[in-house]
Amino acid sequence: MSERAVELLGLPEDRPCLLLDVGCGSGLSGDYISNEGHYWIGMDISPAMLDVAVEREVEGDLLLADVGHGIPFRPGMFDGCISISAVQWLCNADKKSHSPPKRLYQFFSTLYTALARGSRAVLQLYPENAEQVELITAQAMRAGFTGGMVVDYPNSTKAKKFFLCLFVGASGTLPKGLGTECADGEEIRQAKFTNERTRFRNAKGKSVKKSRDWILEKKERRRRQGKEVRADTKYTGRKRRPRF
């Protein structure tokens, strides 16, 4: 998965890059980054895992930190970021003071600042359900990222992998997932999101059920899932007058 994540970063081949490894653990992903000729800094919340990385004498620098509190590095420092099976843990409220949406936004907003313009972040995750994917991507979009979810081998139970591929600055072309070609040669649709969809960025709380905003949000979610949805018009969500 580390190899795939670095591949999706689309790093230049003519120079070494400085990467951030979020949830680096014992440094296994960092070993691959080093073997590719790049430099890296790893963050993890577990002292035990970082101790293992120190014992293994990994080449990257290590930082004990909770990424839900933010990425504590200067702006534009990194040429890219990878994360293997870590971001989904921010959706859990392990303490009463934890708010998953706030922790995710703090993570994504500070990560956006720490990445250089034109760079990417590739976050491999194991979402529990569609709502968790929606929460994570919504907070990434709110922080300024563009991009979308790349799904490798979507039709396989064991090999299926989710990679949230995020762009900093100008939107790039979303990479194709492995094993996404159907029998007839057509490609499976993948969820995308861009900065253009800012309609609900400043909304507080959830929209009232059956309201126009609620209907538009639901239609937008279905579009990201690759489903066919009727076009939005001025009549969308309009209430009809009661008949006597």
Side-chain angles (χ1 to χ4, degrees), residues 27-63:
L28 295 178
S29 298
D31 287 342
Y32 178 79
I33 294 173
S34 299
N35 292 337
E36 290 295 299
H38 301 296
Y39 304 99
W40 61 280
I41 296 176
M43 296 178 62
D44 203 281
I45 197 173
S46 171
M49 295 298 289
L50 293 179
D51 288 342
V52 174
V54 172
E55 292 176 2
R56 295 180 60 249
E57 298 182 350
V58 297
E59 296 184 19
D61 293 325
L62 304 172
L63 174 66

mmCIF file of all heavy atoms in Angstrom, residues 27-63:
data_model
loop_
_atom_site.group_PDB
_atom_site.id
_atom_site.type_symbol
_atom_site.label_atom_id
_atom_site.label_comp_id
_atom_site.label_asym_id
_atom_site.label_seq_id
_atom_site.Cartn_x
_atom_site.Cartn_y
_atom_site.Cartn_z
ATOM 1 N N GLY A 27 7.467 2.711 10.977
ATOM 2 C CA GLY A 27 8.321 3.231 9.905
ATOM 3 C C GLY A 27 8.418 2.366 8.668
ATOM 4 O O GLY A 27 9.326 2.544 7.856
ATOM 5 N N LEU A 28 7.489 1.430 8.475
ATOM 6 C CA LEU A 28 7.543 0.556 7.306
ATOM 7 C C LEU A 28 7.325 1.343 6.010
ATOM 8 O O LEU A 28 8.010 1.109 5.015
ATOM 9 C CB LEU A 28 6.494 -0.552 7.425
ATOM 10 C CG LEU A 28 6.699 -1.541 8.583
ATOM 11 C CD1 LEU A 28 5.567 -2.559 8.610
ATOM 12 C CD2 LEU A 28 8.051 -2.241 8.452
ATOM 13 N N SER A 29 6.369 2.276 6.031
ATOM 14 C CA SER A 29 6.156 3.114 4.846
ATOM 15 C C SER A 29 7.366 3.997 4.597
ATOM 16 O O SER A 29 7.754 4.237 3.444
ATOM 17 C CB SER A 29 4.906 3.984 5.021
ATOM 18 O OG SER A 29 3.752 3.185 5.166
ATOM 19 N N GLY A 30 7.974 4.475 5.689
ATOM 20 C CA GLY A 30 9.155 5.308 5.555
ATOM 21 C C GLY A 30 10.320 4.577 4.906
ATOM 22 O O GLY A 30 11.111 5.177 4.166
ATOM 23 N N ASP A 31 10.427 3.273 5.156
ATOM 24 C CA ASP A 31 11.495 2.489 4.522
ATOM 25 C C ASP A 31 11.356 2.521 3.010
ATOM 26 O O ASP A 31 12.343 2.653 2.280
ATOM 27 C CB ASP A 31 11.448 1.036 5.020
ATOM 28 C CG ASP A 31 11.928 0.898 6.454
ATOM 29 O OD1 ASP A 31 12.606 1.827 6.946
ATOM 30 O OD2 ASP A 31 11.624 -0.136 7.088
ATOM 31 N N TYR A 32 10.118 2.399 2.529
ATOM 32 C CA TYR A 32 9.913 2.432 1.080
ATOM 33 C C TYR A 32 10.241 3.816 0.530
ATOM 34 O O TYR A 32 10.850 3.937 -0.539
ATOM 35 C CB TYR A 32 8.474 2.058 0.734
ATOM 36 C CG TYR A 32 8.204 2.114 -0.750
ATOM 37 C CD1 TYR A 32 8.614 1.079 -1.591
ATOM 38 C CD2 TYR A 32 7.572 3.219 -1.328
ATOM 39 C CE1 TYR A 32 8.404 1.136 -2.958
ATOM 40 C CE2 TYR A 32 7.360 3.285 -2.696
ATOM 41 C CZ TYR A 32 7.778 2.241 -3.503
ATOM 42 O OH TYR A 32 7.579 2.317 -4.860
ATOM 43 N N ILE A 33 9.828 4.870 1.261
ATOM 44 C CA ILE A 33 10.133 6.237 0.823
ATOM 45 C C ILE A 33 11.646 6.443 0.712
ATOM 46 O O ILE A 33 12.148 7.014 -0.256
ATOM 47 C CB ILE A 33 9.515 7.258 1.796
ATOM 48 C CG1 ILE A 33 7.986 7.181 1.739
ATOM 49 C CG2 ILE A 33 9.988 8.672 1.469
ATOM 50 C CD1 ILE A 33 7.304 8.049 2.785
ATOM 51 N N SER A 34 12.376 5.961 1.723
ATOM 52 C CA SER A 34 13.843 6.083 1.705
ATOM 53 C C SER A 34 14.448 5.311 0.547
ATOM 54 O O SER A 34 15.383 5.786 -0.113
ATOM 55 C CB SER A 34 14.423 5.593 3.036
ATOM 56 O OG SER A 34 13.951 6.367 4.123
ATOM 57 N N ASN A 35 13.937 4.117 0.285
ATOM 58 C CA ASN A 35 14.455 3.298 -0.815
ATOM 59 C C ASN A 35 14.237 3.962 -2.171
ATOM 60 O O ASN A 35 14.992 3.706 -3.126
ATOM 61 C CB ASN A 35 13.798 1.917 -0.805
ATOM 62 C CG ASN A 35 14.219 1.084 0.390
ATOM 63 O OD1 ASN A 35 15.281 1.313 0.982
ATOM 64 N ND2 ASN A 35 13.401 0.118 0.761
ATOM 65 N N GLU A 36 13.194 4.812 -2.245
ATOM 66 C CA GLU A 36 12.918 5.529 -3.490
ATOM 67 C C GLU A 36 13.756 6.796 -3.618
ATOM 68 O O GLU A 36 13.638 7.529 -4.606
ATOM 69 C CB GLU A 36 11.432 5.892 -3.559
ATOM 70 C CG GLU A 36 10.517 4.702 -3.775
ATOM 71 C CD GLU A 36 10.738 4.037 -5.113
ATOM 72 O OE1 GLU A 36 10.558 4.708 -6.155
ATOM 73 O OE2 GLU A 36 11.100 2.838 -5.132
ATOM 74 N N GLY A 37 14.601 7.068 -2.617
ATOM 75 C CA GLY A 37 15.492 8.222 -2.685
ATOM 76 C C GLY A 37 14.915 9.507 -2.148
ATOM 77 O O GLY A 37 15.468 10.584 -2.400
ATOM 78 N N HIS A 38 13.817 9.427 -1.395
ATOM 79 C CA HIS A 38 13.195 10.626 -0.836
ATOM 80 C C HIS A 38 13.439 10.713 0.675
ATOM 81 O O HIS A 38 13.851 9.741 1.311
ATOM 82 C CB HIS A 38 11.675 10.609 -1.110
ATOM 83 C CG HIS A 38 11.339 10.537 -2.567
ATOM 84 N ND1 HIS A 38 11.665 11.533 -3.458
ATOM 85 C CD2 HIS A 38 10.690 9.567 -3.289
ATOM 86 C CE1 HIS A 38 11.238 11.200 -4.673
ATOM 87 N NE2 HIS A 38 10.655 10.011 -4.594
ATOM 88 N N TYR A 39 13.172 11.889 1.224
ATOM 89 C CA TYR A 39 13.301 12.110 2.659
ATOM 90 C C TYR A 39 11.911 12.180 3.273
ATOM 91 O O TYR A 39 10.933 12.515 2.593
ATOM 92 C CB TYR A 39 14.075 13.405 2.932
ATOM 93 C CG TYR A 39 15.437 13.442 2.267
ATOM 94 C CD1 TYR A 39 15.624 14.123 1.066
ATOM 95 C CD2 TYR A 39 16.529 12.786 2.844
ATOM 96 C CE1 TYR A 39 16.865 14.153 0.442
ATOM 97 C CE2 TYR A 39 17.775 12.812 2.236
ATOM 98 C CZ TYR A 39 17.935 13.490 1.029
ATOM 99 O OH TYR A 39 19.169 13.495 0.423
ATOM 100 N N TRP A 40 11.799 11.897 4.564
ATOM 101 C CA TRP A 40 10.477 11.880 5.174
ATOM 102 C C TRP A 40 10.527 12.207 6.661
ATOM 103 O O TRP A 40 11.541 12.034 7.330
ATOM 104 C CB TRP A 40 9.792 10.534 4.961
ATOM 105 C CG TRP A 40 10.510 9.346 5.547
ATOM 106 C CD1 TRP A 40 11.575 8.687 5.019
ATOM 107 C CD2 TRP A 40 10.211 8.705 6.794
ATOM 108 N NE1 TRP A 40 11.965 7.659 5.832
ATOM 109 C CE2 TRP A 40 11.144 7.638 6.928
ATOM 110 C CE3 TRP A 40 9.265 8.898 7.786
ATOM 111 C CZ2 TRP A 40 11.144 6.786 8.040
ATOM 112 C CZ3 TRP A 40 9.258 8.051 8.889
ATOM 113 C CH2 TRP A 40 10.186 7.012 9.005
ATOM 114 N N ILE A 41 9.385 12.692 7.128
ATOM 115 C CA ILE A 41 9.150 12.923 8.554
ATOM 116 C C ILE A 41 7.862 12.195 8.910
ATOM 117 O O ILE A 41 6.866 12.309 8.190
ATOM 118 C CB ILE A 41 9.008 14.418 8.875
ATOM 119 C CG1 ILE A 41 10.314 15.149 8.574
ATOM 120 C CG2 ILE A 41 8.624 14.620 10.354
ATOM 121 C CD1 ILE A 41 10.234 16.662 8.767
ATOM 122 N N GLY A 42 7.896 11.409 9.986
ATOM 123 C CA GLY A 42 6.737 10.625 10.367
ATOM 124 C C GLY A 42 6.091 11.119 11.646
ATOM 125 O O GLY A 42 6.780 11.536 12.578
ATOM 126 N N MET A 43 4.765 11.090 11.675
ATOM 127 C CA MET A 43 4.004 11.458 12.869
ATOM 128 C C MET A 43 3.173 10.259 13.315
ATOM 129 O O MET A 43 2.587 9.560 12.494
ATOM 130 C CB MET A 43 3.060 12.632 12.569
ATOM 131 C CG MET A 43 3.727 13.916 12.197
ATOM 132 S SD MET A 43 2.500 15.211 11.812
ATOM 133 C CE MET A 43 1.650 15.368 13.383
ATOM 134 N N ASP A 44 3.102 10.045 14.624
ATOM 135 C CA ASP A 44 2.259 8.969 15.145
ATOM 136 C C ASP A 44 1.885 9.293 16.583
ATOM 137 O O ASP A 44 2.640 9.955 17.311
ATOM 138 C CB ASP A 44 2.967 7.620 15.074
ATOM 139 C CG ASP A 44 1.986 6.455 15.073
ATOM 140 O OD1 ASP A 44 1.476 6.094 16.156
ATOM 141 O OD2 ASP A 44 1.702 5.915 13.990
ATOM 142 N N ILE A 45 0.713 8.800 17.001
ATOM 143 C CA ILE A 45 0.214 9.063 18.345
ATOM 144 C C ILE A 45 0.697 8.016 19.342
ATOM 145 O O ILE A 45 0.555 8.194 20.553
ATOM 146 C CB ILE A 45 -1.331 9.110 18.323
ATOM 147 C CG1 ILE A 45 -1.871 9.779 19.586
ATOM 148 C CG2 ILE A 45 -1.923 7.719 18.127
ATOM 149 C CD1 ILE A 45 -3.366 10.005 19.557
ATOM 150 N N SER A 46 1.286 6.912 18.850
ATOM 151 C CA SER A 46 1.687 5.799 19.718
ATOM 152 C C SER A 46 3.180 5.842 20.041
ATOM 153 O O SER A 46 4.006 5.635 19.145
ATOM 154 C CB SER A 46 1.346 4.464 19.054
ATOM 155 O OG SER A 46 1.911 3.391 19.767
ATOM 156 N N PRO A 47 3.548 6.061 21.313
ATOM 157 C CA PRO A 47 4.971 6.037 21.689
ATOM 158 C C PRO A 47 5.598 4.663 21.460
ATOM 159 O O PRO A 47 6.768 4.570 21.062
ATOM 160 C CB PRO A 47 4.954 6.398 23.183
ATOM 161 C CG PRO A 47 3.633 7.053 23.416
ATOM 162 C CD PRO A 47 2.685 6.425 22.450
ATOM 163 N N ALA A 48 4.821 3.598 21.677
ATOM 164 C CA ALA A 48 5.353 2.249 21.510
ATOM 165 C C ALA A 48 5.755 1.996 20.057
ATOM 166 O O ALA A 48 6.818 1.408 19.789
ATOM 167 C CB ALA A 48 4.319 1.222 21.962
ATOM 168 N N MET A 49 4.910 2.426 19.115
ATOM 169 C CA MET A 49 5.230 2.227 17.706
ATOM 170 C C MET A 49 6.440 3.047 17.288
ATOM 171 O O MET A 49 7.292 2.578 16.518
ATOM 172 C CB MET A 49 4.017 2.592 16.843
ATOM 173 C CG MET A 49 2.815 1.696 17.056
ATOM 174 S SD MET A 49 3.146 -0.027 16.630
ATOM 175 C CE MET A 49 3.263 0.072 14.850
ATOM 176 N N LEU A 50 6.547 4.256 17.803
ATOM 177 C CA LEU A 50 7.708 5.089 17.478
ATOM 178 C C LEU A 50 8.983 4.511 18.087
ATOM 179 O O LEU A 50 10.067 4.622 17.492
ATOM 180 C CB LEU A 50 7.480 6.520 17.971
ATOM 181 C CG LEU A 50 6.369 7.302 17.256
ATOM 182 C CD1 LEU A 50 6.222 8.694 17.861
ATOM 183 C CD2 LEU A 50 6.643 7.417 15.752
ATOM 184 N N ASP A 51 8.868 3.879 19.251
ATOM 185 C CA ASP A 51 10.039 3.217 19.852
ATOM 186 C C ASP A 51 10.536 2.099 18.945
ATOM 187 O O ASP A 51 11.752 1.889 18.800
ATOM 188 C CB ASP A 51 9.683 2.663 21.231
ATOM 189 C CG ASP A 51 9.519 3.748 22.275
ATOM 190 O OD1 ASP A 51 10.006 4.876 22.028
ATOM 191 O OD2 ASP A 51 8.896 3.479 23.324
ATOM 192 N N VAL A 52 9.596 1.376 18.347
ATOM 193 C CA VAL A 52 9.984 0.309 17.412
ATOM 194 C C VAL A 52 10.701 0.913 16.206
ATOM 195 O O VAL A 52 11.703 0.368 15.718
ATOM 196 C CB VAL A 52 8.744 -0.488 16.956
ATOM 197 C CG1 VAL A 52 9.121 -1.494 15.871
ATOM 198 C CG2 VAL A 52 8.108 -1.199 18.142
ATOM 199 N N ALA A 53 10.208 2.047 15.727
ATOM 200 C CA ALA A 53 10.848 2.715 14.591
ATOM 201 C C ALA A 53 12.270 3.152 14.938
ATOM 202 O O ALA A 53 13.184 3.034 14.113
ATOM 203 C CB ALA A 53 10.009 3.915 14.156
ATOM 204 N N VAL A 54 12.458 3.640 16.165
ATOM 205 C CA VAL A 54 13.799 4.050 16.613
ATOM 206 C C VAL A 54 14.720 2.837 16.682
ATOM 207 O O VAL A 54 15.885 2.888 16.260
ATOM 208 C CB VAL A 54 13.719 4.761 17.982
ATOM 209 C CG1 VAL A 54 15.118 4.999 18.537
ATOM 210 C CG2 VAL A 54 12.967 6.079 17.855
ATOM 211 N N GLU A 55 14.217 1.727 17.217
ATOM 212 C CA GLU A 55 15.009 0.502 17.310
ATOM 213 C C GLU A 55 15.389 -0.024 15.926
ATOM 214 O O GLU A 55 16.460 -0.610 15.746
ATOM 215 C CB GLU A 55 14.228 -0.564 18.077
ATOM 216 C CG GLU A 55 14.036 -0.249 19.561
ATOM 217 C CD GLU A 55 13.180 -1.285 20.265
ATOM 218 O OE1 GLU A 55 12.766 -2.263 19.594
ATOM 219 O OE2 GLU A 55 12.926 -1.129 21.468
ATOM 220 N N ARG A 56 14.502 0.181 14.974
ATOM 221 C CA ARG A 56 14.787 -0.253 13.604
ATOM 222 C C ARG A 56 15.732 0.693 12.881
ATOM 223 O O ARG A 56 16.156 0.420 11.755
ATOM 224 C CB ARG A 56 13.481 -0.366 12.816
ATOM 225 C CG ARG A 56 12.543 -1.459 13.333
ATOM 226 C CD ARG A 56 11.256 -1.535 12.508
ATOM 227 N NE ARG A 56 11.531 -1.825 11.119
ATOM 228 C CZ ARG A 56 11.368 -0.981 10.104
ATOM 229 N NH1 ARG A 56 10.917 0.252 10.344
ATOM 230 N NH2 ARG A 56 11.646 -1.325 8.867
ATOM 231 N N GLU A 57 16.036 1.837 13.512
ATOM 232 C CA GLU A 57 16.954 2.833 12.956
ATOM 233 C C GLU A 57 16.498 3.305 11.574
ATOM 234 O O GLU A 57 17.243 3.292 10.603
ATOM 235 C CB GLU A 57 18.375 2.274 12.883
ATOM 236 C CG GLU A 57 18.949 1.922 14.246
ATOM 237 C CD GLU A 57 20.376 1.420 14.168
ATOM 238 O OE1 GLU A 57 20.862 1.172 13.034
ATOM 239 O OE2 GLU A 57 21.016 1.290 15.223
ATOM 240 N N VAL A 58 15.247 3.729 11.518
ATOM 241 C CA VAL A 58 14.723 4.263 10.261
ATOM 242 C C VAL A 58 15.429 5.565 9.926
ATOM 243 O O VAL A 58 15.973 6.253 10.806
ATOM 244 C CB VAL A 58 13.201 4.488 10.355
ATOM 245 C CG1 VAL A 58 12.484 3.176 10.580
ATOM 246 C CG2 VAL A 58 12.858 5.477 11.461
ATOM 247 N N GLU A 59 15.421 5.922 8.656
ATOM 248 C CA GLU A 59 16.152 7.113 8.199
ATOM 249 C C GLU A 59 15.381 8.414 8.380
ATOM 250 O O GLU A 59 15.961 9.490 8.360
ATOM 251 C CB GLU A 59 16.525 6.935 6.723
ATOM 252 C CG GLU A 59 17.483 5.782 6.476
ATOM 253 C CD GLU A 59 17.907 5.702 5.022
ATOM 254 O OE1 GLU A 59 17.763 6.709 4.299
ATOM 255 O OE2 GLU A 59 18.377 4.631 4.607
ATOM 256 N N GLY A 60 14.075 8.325 8.556
ATOM 257 C CA GLY A 60 13.281 9.536 8.697
ATOM 258 C C GLY A 60 13.262 10.070 10.113
ATOM 259 O O GLY A 60 13.615 9.378 11.074
ATOM 260 N N ASP A 61 12.845 11.331 10.250
ATOM 261 C CA ASP A 61 12.668 11.935 11.560
ATOM 262 C C ASP A 61 11.273 11.572 12.090
ATOM 263 O O ASP A 61 10.322 11.432 11.318
ATOM 264 C CB ASP A 61 12.804 13.454 11.481
ATOM 265 C CG ASP A 61 14.232 13.870 11.121
ATOM 266 O OD1 ASP A 61 15.166 13.181 11.565
ATOM 267 O OD2 ASP A 61 14.388 14.861 10.386
ATOM 268 N N LEU A 62 11.142 11.462 13.409
ATOM 269 C CA LEU A 62 9.901 11.003 14.017
ATOM 270 C C LEU A 62 9.348 12.039 14.982
ATOM 271 O O LEU A 62 10.105 12.716 15.672
ATOM 272 C CB LEU A 62 10.133 9.678 14.758
ATOM 273 C CG LEU A 62 10.731 8.543 13.926
ATOM 274 C CD1 LEU A 62 11.090 7.365 14.820
ATOM 275 C CD2 LEU A 62 9.758 8.108 12.833
ATOM 276 N N LEU A 63 8.029 12.147 15.023
ATOM 277 C CA LEU A 63 7.367 13.111 15.896
ATOM 278 C C LEU A 63 6.180 12.439 16.573
ATOM 279 O O LEU A 63 5.317 11.869 15.903
ATOM 280 C CB LEU A 63 6.892 14.324 15.093
ATOM 281 C CG LEU A 63 6.062 15.365 15.845
ATOM 282 C CD1 LEU A 63 6.915 16.045 16.913
ATOM 283 C CD2 LEU A 63 5.502 16.412 14.881
#
